Amino acid sequence: MSGLVSTAGLGTSTKLIGLTKHTKHRHVPSPVSPSFVAPSAQSSLSFNPIALAAAIARTATTWDDAPVALLDGLQQSALIELETLLQDGSAFALESHFKFLADTAGSQFAAKVGAGIAHLYMDALGYAWRANAACLSSSLDPHADFIYEGGNVSGHGVVLAEAHGSFAEDASGAKIANAARRKYAKQVKPFIAKPSPFGDIIHGYSIAFGSKPTAAGSFLAVSETRITKPRGRKTPPPGVSQAAAPAEGAPERMALATHRSNFLLLGAPEVTSWIDWLRSPDGVAPDRSDIPFVRLEYAGRAYITAAPWFWRADGSPWWVEDFIDHVGWWRFARRPRMPLTRRSRSDFGWFAIEERAGASFLNALSNAIREGERRMPATLELPTFEPTGFELSAGDRVARRDADEPYQYALFRDGLALLGDPLRGRPRDVVVWSPEGGMVLG
């Protein structure tokens, strides 16, 4: 398993989709949490293709107890479909061969893209931590897709989000808006003001995205809980900043669910296994061997990522460029035996995590492993970041950013990033995480 993924065919143009319809739904009681202020809806969402690819991979792997091998396969298949079926350009459009998909395959692909769009929207609103919402009810009952924490909802509870995607010939703004309202009423509203394993649900969203397979353009509709109490303050629209926000409290269960997916995407299933051990009362402890991570600088930040599985005989690491220059074949789990000579190096992306975010979580995990009680503090002090690669209300900044942005990548609030053309990054060293000793950054 590797944190390297193919990004061939995704293109580089930033896509801009307008908010077709925003609907608020009454709820009693309102507000559920008296001091909660929902982020303001914005008129549009912009994102580069790498951000959408990363969001789809994240949502495909947000399952708290699913086997790692299954989740890895799900995210790989989702990215293959995206690079095959998404057209480049500022408007969202599908390739013409989408029509050759069977109805079920087309619907499944639309659902994956809808989930990715919903995640970009929720992260842009300020929600940093996520978990699957399957814990809310049995498989026979309809429930929303994801639970979010962080941002405005920190300290109040959690919010619920349902995602929907549709690529149909008769797609329209009205039909997508109806889908958002219908799914809110059926899969979100019944759970508002109810408890969940991650905290009380105090607010909810239903986010529907659609496009016609034969025409460029798209529709985005959002339904959310109405807060009838007058708001005491206004929330500024999210912006893009290179500075990290001060460390804030991330609820333990949400942090574990989020980073279980993150480290799987990084290509570090050993960390995922330790998270599973921590949450299981009867599981056998994984192997306690140290795990190496590559540390690199990219676009002005420092990141860590799983060290590639290739090492020299003396134990020193090969850097990616050395490997590509000296080896004629690269075995991707998702694309075995693909000759590198037929691909550009810029066709590769690498999942990584901002080094402070990664080390802070890994050290908290080591503390729990060392103490042997399978318990972390109720709240973890983890940094968060303003997103890069996607934002709300981008407007006329899209064209300028496409011309001026030297790097194609996406950074999410919890520190996870998908780095396009990772060979532009500058490797610094290899750092090691010890399950009992933690990680020290020099």
Side-chain angles (χ1 to χ4, degrees), residues 21 132 175 307 336 396:
K21 184 70 174 179
N132 195 281
K175 288 193 173 184
D396 58 4

Side-chain angles (χ1 to χ4, degrees), residues 2-6 265-266 308 310 320 330 332 334 348-351 422:
S2 170
L4 280 166
V5 295
S6 171
L265 293 173
L266 259 65
F310 45 90
V320 178
W330 175 273
F332 281 103
R334 59 183 296 269
F348 300 105
W350 202 341
F351 278 105

Side-chain angles (χ1 to χ4, degrees), residues 301-327:
R301 289 189 187 275
Y303 294 90
I304 59 173
T305 186
W309 47 262
F310 45 90
W311 294 84
R312 296 187 178 98
D314 63 1
S316 61
W318 287 81
W319 179 237
V320 178
E321 190 163 12
D322 297 328
F323 183 77
I324 291 178
D325 285 343
H326 289 87
V327 180

Side-chain angles (χ1 to χ4, degrees), residues 77-257:
S77 65
L79 294 182
I80 291 172
E81 292 172 334
L82 186 67
E83 73 173 33
T84 303
L85 296 172
L86 182 66
Q87 282 191 26
D88 197 11
S90 60
F92 186 93
L94 298 171
E95 293 286 359
S96 60
H97 41 263
F98 175 83
K99 65 185 178 183
F100 294 103
L101 292 182
D103 289 344
T104 54
S107 297
Q108 290 170 356
F109 177 63
K112 294 171 187 176
V113 174
I117 294 291
H119 181 57
L120 292 177
Y121 188 88
M122 295 296 289
D123 199 288
L125 284 178
Y127 302 115
W129 315 104
R130 73 194 191 284
N132 195 281
C135 60
L136 296 180
S137 65
S138 72
S139 60
L140 298 178
D141 296 325
H143 56 78
D145 294 307
F146 305 107
I147 294 173
Y148 284 88
E149 212 276 356
N152 285 21
V153 80
S154 292
H156 300 286
V158 296
V159 300
L160 194 57
E162 162 66 10
H164 173 71
S166 174
F167 297 148
E169 291 289 350
D170 61 349
S172 67
K175 288 193 173 184
I176 297 303
N178 286 337
R181 290 192 292 264
R182 183 177 68 255
K183 288 183 173 292
Y184 179 92
K186 188 174 182 180
Q187 296 172 234
V188 177
K189 181 178 175 62
F191 299 98
I192 303 299
K194 300 292 179 61
S196 84
F198 302 96
D200 291 342
I201 300 170
I202 66 166
H203 199 71
Y205 297 84
S206 172
I207 302 169
F209 175 76
S211 180
K212 293 183 177 181
T214 55
S218 59
F219 312 99
L220 176 65
V222 176
S223 285
E224 69 172 296
T225 312
R226 179 184 297 276
I227 298 177
T228 57
K229 182 178 179 179
R231 297 179 177 181
R233 60 185 174 88
K234 293 185 178 180
T235 304
V240 173
S241 171
Q242 289 297 315
E248 65 176 33
E252 177 225 12
R253 293 187 64 130
M254 293 294 291
L256 290 174

Side-chain angles (χ1 to χ4, degrees), residues 53-89:
I56 291 175
R58 302 192 86 190
T59 53
T61 54
T62 304
W63 287 89
D64 293 347
D65 54 0
V68 169
L70 171 63
L71 297 181
D72 186 51
L74 290 175
Q75 66 97 3
Q76 289 169 14
S77 65
L79 294 182
I80 291 172
E81 292 172 334
L82 186 67
E83 73 173 33
T84 303
L85 296 172
L86 182 66
Q87 282 191 26
D88 197 11

